[in-house]
Amino acid sequence: MKRSVILLVLMLMANLLYSQEWCIKLPFDDCDAFFFHCDASADYNYSLGSVTEVHDNKSKPLILCVNNEGEYKYRILDFDTVVVTINAALGLGDGNLFVNAYCNEPESESLKNKLWLAIINPNLEILHQNLIDVDDDYMSFGPEADLVMNEKAEIILATQITKDNYLINPIYDYVFYKFDNQCNMIKNVILENTSYNLNINDLTIIPESECYAIFGKGMYPSGTPTVFYLDDNLNYMYSTLIDDPNNYPNYISPEFMDVHWLDNDSYLMSAMTPYTHGYNEWYPLLLKMDKEMNIIDSVRFERVDTTDYVSQYRSLIYHNSNTIYVSTFWQHIKMHNMYPNTSSVFLLDEDLNVLGKVFFDYDKYIALTSIQHTADDGCIVVGTYNENNRMCAIMWKLSREDFLDGTNIKEEMISVNTKISPNPVSDNLNIYIDKINDIKVCIDIFDVKGRIVLENDTFMSNNEMSIDVSSLKSGMYLCRIKTEEKYVFTDTFIKE
């Protein structure tokens, strides 16, 4: 059963998020800052990424720890002998964090021939660490990895390895490790990949079993999304396609999957719709599925733009049966991702009922890179944005009540088509949006550097309006239309 979501929009405008508990921004002079990996541990939340110096493009690991009150510390790790890039992190439940990174000697930048493991406390002190060499038959580790802890407090790591000397379209195999709580390796197992593709989206433990499930792409010749299973000794058992490609056009080909097992036979998975239609028909989904890949239930998150597609990265957090968070952000395909976009976080229950939504209408492009739960049932949303041609890290703390506050919530269902013409255009640009009529709209025109070059408030009548663009220089532009109801539509055009 598929259902469309009623938009429950709690407007959080511009830089002021009215009901947020706190917001942290990390701009650095002459450096780009990113957070890619996050996890919670007891009363602390960790975000991990990198800072990259603009003048020489050198990166260093960045780790931030914050408590529920927004008090935080961050640390930039600097190693004299190796270059370290963090690619997975796992909260251990006691306030500490297990970190995995691939690394290399400075003179060998292309080959990542070592793994760095560490346990870090809330003061960002390294309690334990270890350095693991790549297996003798292989040349390098790959960039993707994930971690999970089993009931015996063993830490399981899944990552990539390759025999290729040059990391240009390498063929990866899998390697799995077990570590104790002091970073000592218990065992490792290599699994030869039977697909040309290998992605590790989510490593999970199946409840009430001693088995692991890995969601991503691999172990199937066509390179389509799969889930495959390992026993407690990390030995391969079998793999299953997430959906049959013969089901086209209803084929589910999810990207950037996040999974939470409800019991030993069913799970929730956040995913994007397949690449079987145009970008304007891609939707984020939350699926309830069984181990045989049958869809038990699903919810499709409606979108108000019709030009671009919606992304989800590490977007699903299951806190309890009444508190599930899913984050999305809209991504411009036709033009550089410097343009303002919109992002959303949904609150759902285990029956896939949407209880509320926080809607970010920001004046910059923001990519939501992860979401994590907090000890008080809230969530922390982590992303990156552009400020003066520097990428900055940002995070917000939202309480569960922010999603349930009826003030400023709008209930509306909308599915529209847009058209701009002529394209290319020399003087007047005509804009058509069906189902949007007799309302005031704000039009912003952006150049290829993301700067607003033309603004106009006008009235849409009979689903149409026109704007004079004759003063613009020749080139490509993005047109953003915002209605009084805060719906946003975007499209691109070429000025002759």
Side-chain angles (χ1 to χ4, degrees), residues 13-61:
M13 293 299 297
N15 289 327
L16 180 61
L17 302 181
Y18 296 113
S19 55
Q20 70 179 15
E21 297 196 4
W22 46 257
C23 176
I24 298 172
K25 296 180 181 180
L26 283 185
F28 292 92
D29 293 336
D30 299 320
C31 289
D32 290 333
F34 301 87
F35 285 130
F36 294 115
H37 308 284
C38 301
D39 208 357
S41 184
D43 293 329
Y44 299 95
N45 290 81
Y46 292 86
S47 297
L48 302 95
S50 65
V51 290
T52 302
E53 297 180 15
V54 176
H55 66 278
D56 61 8
N57 205 35
K58 291 184 178 180
S59 295
K60 297 177 181 179

Side-chain angles (χ1 to χ4, degrees), residues 196-408:
Y196 71 90
N197 207 340
L198 193 158
N199 295 110
I200 300 172
N201 287 157
D202 207 353
L203 167 64
T204 64
I205 297 179
I206 304 173
E208 302 174 18
S209 76
E210 295 183 346
C211 298
Y212 306 93
I214 299 177
F215 292 79
K217 292 181 179 178
M219 303 308 295
Y220 198 82
S222 68
T224 52
T226 59
V227 54
F228 70 88
Y229 300 90
L230 307 175
D231 63 21
D232 187 48
N233 292 316
L234 307 183
N235 297 313
Y236 175 76
M237 298 168 63
Y238 63 95
S239 63
T240 305
L241 284 176
I242 289 179
D243 200 358
D244 184 352
N246 294 323
N247 287 339
Y248 182 92
N250 296 316
Y251 169 47
I252 298 172
S253 178
E255 295 288 325
F256 308 112
M257 296 168 277
D258 243 356
V259 174
H260 176 82
W261 287 87
L262 301 172
D263 51 47
N264 61 2
D265 192 52
S266 63
Y267 59 88
L268 296 176
M269 179 172 70
S270 65
M272 288 162 24
T273 46
Y275 300 166
T276 54
H277 306 287
Y279 294 136
N280 63 321
E281 296 186 25
W282 293 6
Y283 287 86
L285 298 168
L286 184 62
L287 304 172
K288 183 182 290 187
M289 303 183 71
D290 63 22
K291 286 177 67 173
E292 285 69 43
M293 302 299 114
N294 300 307
I295 298 177
I296 302 170
D297 200 358
S298 67
V299 60
R300 187 181 79 172
F301 301 115
E302 287 292 343
R303 44 187 286 173
V304 297
D305 72 320
T306 60
T307 305
D308 307 309
Y309 80 94
V310 185
S311 289
Q312 295 175 300
Y313 299 146
R314 302 182 183 274
S315 60
L316 171 65
I317 287 295
Y318 183 100
H319 193 70
N320 56 51
S321 60
N322 290 311
T323 306
I324 301 169
Y325 296 106
V326 177
S327 64
T328 69
F329 66 96
W330 302 345
Q331 192 162 357
H332 299 306
I333 290 298
K334 296 182 181 179
M335 304 192 65
H336 192 273
N337 284 334
M338 302 286 284
Y339 295 88
N341 65 337
T342 47
S343 308
S344 304
V345 182
F346 296 87
L347 171 67
L348 303 95
D349 62 21
E350 200 171 284
D351 294 325
L352 303 194
N353 298 308
V354 178
L355 307 179
K357 173 185 175 182
V358 171
F359 179 72
F360 299 86
D361 185 5
Y362 216 70
D363 60 354
K364 299 176 176 63
Y365 175 82
I366 293 183
L368 299 186
T369 53
S370 67
I371 185 171
Q372 50 186 313
H373 73 268
T374 59
D376 57 359
D377 286 2
C379 66
I380 293 177
V381 185
V382 182
T384 60
Y385 70 98
N386 184 279
E387 183 78 61
N388 299 323
N389 294 321
R390 296 286 181 270
M391 295 308 297
C392 306
I394 189 169
M395 61 182 65
W396 302 272
K397 165 74 183 299
L398 299 171
S399 71
R400 192 177 188 277
E401 287 67 32
D402 291 338
F403 295 82
L404 304 176
D405 183 358
T407 305
N408 297 328

Side-chain angles (χ1 to χ4, degrees), residues 162-222:
T162 182
K163 297 178 181 179
D164 294 344
N165 286 318
Y166 302 99
L167 300 185
I168 301 175
N169 298 319
I171 302 299
Y172 285 116
D173 290 329
Y174 293 93
V175 60
F176 309 108
Y177 294 92
K178 277 188 180 182
F179 298 98
D180 64 17
N181 59 8
Q182 295 185 355
C183 300
N184 299 306
M185 185 174 69
I186 300 172
K187 70 176 304 181
N188 71 314
V189 175
I190 292 174
L191 173 62
E192 183 177 349
N193 184 24
T194 56
S195 170
Y196 71 90
N197 207 340
L198 193 158
N199 295 110
I200 300 172
N201 287 157
D202 207 353
L203 167 64
T204 64
I205 297 179
I206 304 173
E208 302 174 18
S209 76
E210 295 183 346
C211 298
Y212 306 93
I214 299 177
F215 292 79
K217 292 181 179 178
M219 303 308 295
Y220 198 82
S222 68

